[in-house]
Amino acid sequence: MVKASPVNMQGSLPQIGRDRYFWYQEGKNLERKGFYEEAVICYDRAVANGVDEYWLWYDRGSALRELGYYHEAITSFQKALKLRPYDYWSRYNQGCIFLEDLDEFEKAISAFENALTIRKNDYWACFRLGDALRHLGKYEQAIASYDQALSSYGNDYWGWFRRGDALRKLGRYDEAILSYDRALEIRPDDFWSHYKQGDTFRFLQRYQDAIASYQKAVKLNPEDEYAWYNCACCAALQGKKYLALDYLERTLHISPGQFLSFAQTDSDFDAIKTSKEFQELITSISL
């Protein structure tokens, strides 16, 4: 349902003569209701009326981010910081914009590190610092940041999950599996933790364990072709031809175009490629 806008047809807010803080309060009320563009108009009118305070610039930055004006939002948070230099939230929110909206990861790292000088063990700043470091391939530092986050809030799914991802990138597969295990203790029905745990077992050539993890994943999302395909690869690598063909057939019925060519060239299927059954499956899907 589309929200009805509180502005008139010309897009201008009603002119009401009040004290200089009226437009700021009006902006906050509009922002709470999700009318971000109108809120920014009000905040700008408050500035024009001489309001130059931390909360005005902070709230203006939040509304601008909601509208997708990311650089303008950062400028607004910077103005907030000039009025309150040791403020955690403006630094943190700048970091979130650099990380999540602009993919400027070095700037995100700087912003989160600055925020952590104010709140040294804040979970979210540590967690998002870990994310920014992970995006830059600084996995050891990312793990240290996730560990710092989890030391203050050890029951967070995302901290354990992302930590597992970073460990996996470093080839520390056994540790990654343990990290995904902790994530699954918190969210037992999470598709991605089961799936990535399957990938990790596969890297360790623990193919039966990998299949078990992928099977848990497809119970949660039966139409995920990648999980079925990876099951087929693991079964083929074990020499279990008929099981591999069963998994591969499921894959090809979901996504024939992409996985047909994969199956024909993937070395994981070398042990069964020349079999009559494999060729018949490929031919039947091709037709």
Side-chain angles (χ1 to χ4, degrees), residues 62-271:
S62 297
L64 285 164
R65 186 187 181 194
E66 292 288 346
L67 291 167
Y69 298 126
Y70 302 124
H71 291 98
E72 292 88 342
I74 288 168
T75 299
S76 207
F77 287 128
Q78 280 294 101
K79 290 184 177 180
L81 282 166
K82 285 182 180 179
L83 296 165
R84 191 180 291 184
Y86 297 103
D87 178 63
Y88 166 84
W89 287 108
S90 289
R91 298 180 187 205
Y92 173 79
N93 280 295
Q94 281 184 317
C96 289
I97 294 171
F98 286 128
L99 172 65
E100 297 169 0
D101 303 316
L102 296 175
D103 292 342
E104 296 183 20
F105 303 121
E106 293 284 4
K107 291 181 180 178
I109 289 168
S110 178
F112 291 129
E113 287 178 341
N114 284 334
L116 285 165
T117 64
I118 310 300
R119 294 190 182 184
K120 295 187 183 301
N121 294 310
D122 180 79
Y123 173 82
W124 287 110
C126 290
F127 171 77
R128 287 195 160 84
L129 174 59
D131 275 356
L133 290 162
R134 184 173 53 82
H135 278 294
L136 289 175
K138 298 179 179 181
Y139 300 118
E140 292 282 4
Q141 292 170 262
I143 291 164
S145 198
Y146 292 134
D147 284 343
Q148 187 178 351
L150 290 164
S151 70
S152 61
Y153 180 37
N155 200 38
D156 181 69
Y157 163 82
W158 284 108
W160 291 110
F161 179 79
R162 294 299 188 202
R163 183 177 181 273
D165 286 349
L167 286 162
R168 192 163 60 93
K169 289 289 187 179
L170 288 171
R172 292 161 60 179
Y173 300 129
D174 290 319
E175 293 174 79
I177 288 166
L178 293 175
S179 207
Y180 292 133
D181 277 340
R182 289 296 301 273
L184 286 165
E185 287 175 13
I186 299 163
R187 290 192 191 177
D189 294 331
D190 181 71
F191 170 85
W192 283 109
S193 285
H194 287 300
Y195 181 90
K196 291 197 173 184
Q197 200 167 52
D199 282 350
T200 311
F201 281 128
R202 188 178 173 194
F203 293 142
L204 289 169
Q205 298 183 11
R206 292 170 57 180
Y207 299 124
Q208 196 57 42
D209 290 328
I211 290 172
S213 288
Y214 290 134
Q215 285 295 294
K216 290 174 184 176
V218 294
K219 282 182 180 178
L220 297 165
N221 183 6
E223 296 302 306
D224 188 82
E225 63 270 37
Y226 289 94
W228 284 115
Y229 182 80
N230 289 337
C231 281
C233 291
C234 289
L237 288 165
Q238 289 180 295
K240 297 180 179 180
K241 180 175 71 174
Y242 293 105
L243 185 60
L245 291 171
D246 180 53
Y247 290 145
L248 183 58
E249 185 174 11
R250 288 174 183 265
T251 306
L252 294 173
H253 280 302
I254 297 169
S255 181
Q258 182 178 12
F259 286 91
L260 189 62
S261 59
F262 282 178
Q264 290 173 293
T265 58
D266 196 331
S267 61
D268 287 351
F269 295 111
D270 283 353

Side-chain angles (χ1 to χ4, degrees), residues 19 21-30 32 42-43 46:
D19 66 54
Y21 290 98
F22 166 76
W23 288 114
Y24 170 58
Q25 292 301 329
E26 190 73 3
K28 281 190 70 68
N29 292 334
L30 288 163
R32 288 191 193 102
C42 286
Y43 294 142

Side-chain angles (χ1 to χ4, degrees), residues 6-53:
V7 299
N8 62 30
M9 292 299 291
Q10 286 71 42
S12 61
L13 290 157
Q15 299 289 338
I16 303 174
R18 299 288 177 87
D19 66 54
R20 68 195 188 102
Y21 290 98
F22 166 76
W23 288 114
Y24 170 58
Q25 292 301 329
E26 190 73 3
K28 281 190 70 68
N29 292 334
L30 288 163
E31 188 173 354
R32 288 191 193 102
K33 295 173 183 176
F35 298 114
Y36 301 112
E37 188 170 356
E38 293 83 355
V40 173
I41 292 170
C42 286
Y43 294 142
D44 288 344
R45 288 184 178 172
V47 172
N49 284 337
V51 181
D52 185 29
E53 295 188 6

